[in-house]
Amino acid sequence: MKGYVQIYTGCGKGKTTASIGLAIRASGSKKRTYIGQFMKGQKYGELFALKNNLYIDIEQFGIAKCIRKEEVTSEYIEKTKKALEQCKGKIINGNYDIVILDEIIV
């Protein structure tokens, strides 16, 4: 089976929305998606909308608010390294058809 990588970049809105759109489209075909969010920790509309979707799992690794690049601390970097290892396990275990690492390249 081929694997594909899609990268959404740019300033401002659209990256998370595009990723969630991909997940929703996949769930319509009963494909499982894992979304690890690295800069978000707050509750927001998409989380509530997808709460009962059986095919999409979302985990947030951010803090209570969406942080900016200049707000990143050494503690946050360590937390992110652990989260990345956890996401690596999600990729390797084969339980998901799609793994989204939201804002990982920030």
Side-chain angles (χ1 to χ4, degrees):
M1 179 162 82
K2 279 188 178 181
Y4 297 94
V5 175
Q6 292 183 348
I7 300 174
Y8 303 113
T9 64
C11 295
K13 293 188 167 272
K15 298 176 295 294
T16 299
T17 302
S19 298
I20 288 176
L22 178 69
I24 290 170
R25 204 166 51 242
S27 74
S29 297
K30 298 184 179 181
K31 303 267 187 216
R32 297 211 17 103
T33 300
Y34 171 82
I35 302 172
Q37 295 189 315
F38 283 82
M39 299 299 284
K40 293 182 178 83
Q42 76 278 24
K43 303 296 180 205
Y44 63 99
E46 288 93 334
L47 292 178
F48 298 118
L50 298 174
K51 182 179 176 183
N52 296 317
N53 189 304
L54 301 176
Y55 299 99
I56 301 173
D57 296 328
I58 301 176
E59 192 166 14
Q60 293 184 312
F61 301 112
I63 55 176
K65 64 175 186 134
C66 186
I67 65 171
R68 298 181 184 278
K69 187 176 176 181
E70 61 272 6
E71 297 174 316
V72 174
T73 64
S74 58
E75 293 172 53
Y76 188 79
I77 290 170
E78 286 306 311
K79 181 179 177 183
T80 300
K81 286 179 182 178
K82 290 177 185 173
L84 187 56
E85 282 301 311
Q86 189 173 329
C87 289
K88 183 179 172 183
K90 303 287 184 186
I91 294 167
I92 292 170
N93 73 22
N95 292 336
Y96 294 96
D97 300 293
I98 298 171
V99 175
I100 296 170
L101 305 181
D102 187 30
E103 299 187 352
I104 187 62
I105 59 176
V106 174

